[in-house]
Amino acid sequence: MTDGEWGGEAGGVVGRPWDEPSAEGRGDPFDDALALANGTAPLHVRPGAGPGITTVTAPYAAGGAVAAASSATGGGDAPYTPDDPFAPDDPFAPDDPAAARSGPSGPGDPTPPTGPGPRPTPAAVSWHTARRLAERAAPGPPGPETSVLGETLGRTLAAPLTALTDLPSFDTSAMDGWAVAGPGPWRLDRPADAPEAGPPPGILAGHAPTEALLDGHAIPIATGARVPSGATAVLRSEHGEVRELSDGGRRLYAPRPAPPGQDIRPRGQECRRGDQLLPTGALVTPAVLGLAAAAGYDELTAYRRPRAEVFVLGDELLDEGLPRDGRIRDALGPMLAPWLHALGVEAAAPRHLADEADTLYAALAESTADVVITTGGTASGPVDHVHPTLRRLDAEVLVDGVAVRPGHPMLLARLAPRRHLVGLPGNPLAAVSGLLTLAEPLLRTLAARRPAAPYRTPLAAAVTGHPQDTRLVPVAYRDDERHGLTAVPLRFHGPAMLRGIAAADGLAVVPAGGAERGTELEILELPWSVGWSAGWTPGRSAPGDPYDPPEATGGRA
């Protein structure tokens, strides 16, 4: 598969003309979304579309036709363009108040300037479509590398893990006790090299026995030691009694017989040499490292981690101290690199860039990372330079706006073959939304990680939805007598807030119109789980507690 192709059942060539039919004889929804994002869709009524649904030619800055976004992406999450103004703290409001809202541009519109400034609202795609576009934006992971075991942690196997030896490699004792041969009682042997005084030391782990055990005899043995030939069972130390004999010898007695094979781990019990232990694509966890070492490996072949760079944009951001003089602390820089590491990505410390077009252009042009992540600057304000810079770089925009709240003005672009940019909004929770919507699926493909199985959980309280867009709401898990494990909608879920997500186990995917208590919703789980360790006690909530569900039900707190 080339870099210009999508994989999967809904595949098609990126950039294929909108009116060229797919294999099924109709426009592919993913290609339609690309055409809208890049403003290359010709004036055309899509076969089967409702009356009045059209797409129009538009330059890059126009981002396509807003009116056609819903039908072209195969979803019902059309952009929300209400007539009434929003309150400043309304969570349904646009993430950047400076973003201009104008209608679709026509075929004769002039090419826009390359500098920042107002531009028509882009043709936002539905949230589910955006996720699939991001997942298929790259043709696959970077090439595999062979590395020592410790360096492969968090990567995915590029070849099956096949046992290089039997496990166990020989019959071993599962307990401390005595190796016995035949039915008891047993005469305790003294190894030839054992001292005359004191009890016989027996067989220790790491030492191979040199003598066969005769029928009716026993010898002390330690856990993990190799069982001598002739032994039929191991008698645990707490189950045996040693008695002195008149001739100076010792005899071992047991209250019940020791059946053959008791407490012996037979050779090859776990696997035989050549058995496949794990398939290609398995995540290398600490347990996998242990298994690989036990199976005889010193190195593993795994896909290399994708490399990401984070550019934090904004002259108003401070790196330390308290907010002052109209400036605020940078919340995204400290958060994004560890988050990327949890996703299996190699990411250096974020770089803070000044709000200068040439500075951003130089940083993007010089970057060699697989994925560049920017924060802020994705709208059309006076210092929002991301879109103009992408035009200067001749980048291909794959997603330009997503019908989701928060995080509507996020974007995904291809800078070069196998190099992409994810533009996150500047508001913290909106940036998290963009991270989970566009960055995580793209990085998952680049890291060769399999997608998690969709997980659905009933809501512990009703959630008000956006009239037309998907909404992502921080939730924490709680046990409920009626519904079992439920998702509690958390307070402090505005686009600029992190208090809710800091106490969350995941984000609930709330459809347009909202969801009632007990409704099962898809949960985007975080790479960690903090809900049960954030001081919350089931059935109790203090005033202002982010877990207090009544405050979260209205959706406009």
Side-chain angles (χ1 to χ4, degrees), residues 35-66:
L36 285 168
N38 288 280
T40 58
L43 184 61
H44 183 82
V45 178
R46 185 177 179 181
I53 306 288
T54 62
T55 56
V56 297
T57 301
Y60 174 102
V66 176

Side-chain angles (χ1 to χ4, degrees), residues 447-477:
R449 289 193 175 191
R450 293 179 177 141
Y455 186 73
R456 303 180 71 86
T457 303
L459 286 175
V463 176
T464 299
H466 188 277
Q468 292 172 285
D469 293 355
T470 299
R471 189 176 171 214
L472 301 182
V473 176
V475 294
Y477 293 135

Side-chain angles (χ1 to χ4, degrees), residues 109-175:
D109 288 349
T111 301
T114 58
R119 64 190 185 95
T121 303
V125 299
S126 73
W127 181 79
H128 287 94
T129 298
R131 293 259 297 173
R132 286 176 291 193
L133 282 166
E135 184 179 40
R136 302 177 185 186
E145 297 175 341
T146 299
S147 309
V148 296
L149 290 182
E151 294 180 2
T152 62
L153 181 65
R155 294 157 62 181
T156 54
L157 294 177
L161 185 69
T162 303
L164 302 180
T165 182
D166 296 343
L167 286 180
S169 300
F170 42 79
D171 293 350
T172 59
S173 175
M175 302 295 296

Side-chain angles (χ1 to χ4, degrees), residues 229-251:
S229 61
T232 57
V234 170
L235 181 68
R236 300 185 185 191
S237 56
E238 62 268 26
H239 293 164
E241 180 185 355
V242 178
R243 299 176 187 174
E244 299 289 338
L245 301 179
S246 59
D247 61 1
R250 294 181 176 89
R251 193 173 296 278

Side-chain angles (χ1 to χ4, degrees), residues 242-269:
V242 178
R243 299 176 187 174
E244 299 289 338
L245 301 179
S246 59
D247 61 1
R250 294 181 176 89
R251 193 173 296 278
L252 174 65
Y253 293 86
R256 53 184 177 272
Q262 174 180 277
D263 287 325
I264 292 178
R265 298 183 183 130
R267 176 177 180 172
Q269 181 185 47

Side-chain angles (χ1 to χ4, degrees), residues 40 47 54 91 98 127 158 165 235 246 259 264 293 295 327 340 353 362 385 440 491 534 538 540 547 553:
T40 58
T54 62
W127 181 79
T165 182
L235 181 68
S246 59
I264 292 178
R327 302 179 70 190
L340 293 171
L353 301 183
H385 300 295
E440 187 274 333
R491 301 177 62 198
R540 295 178 55 192
Y547 291 101
T553 59

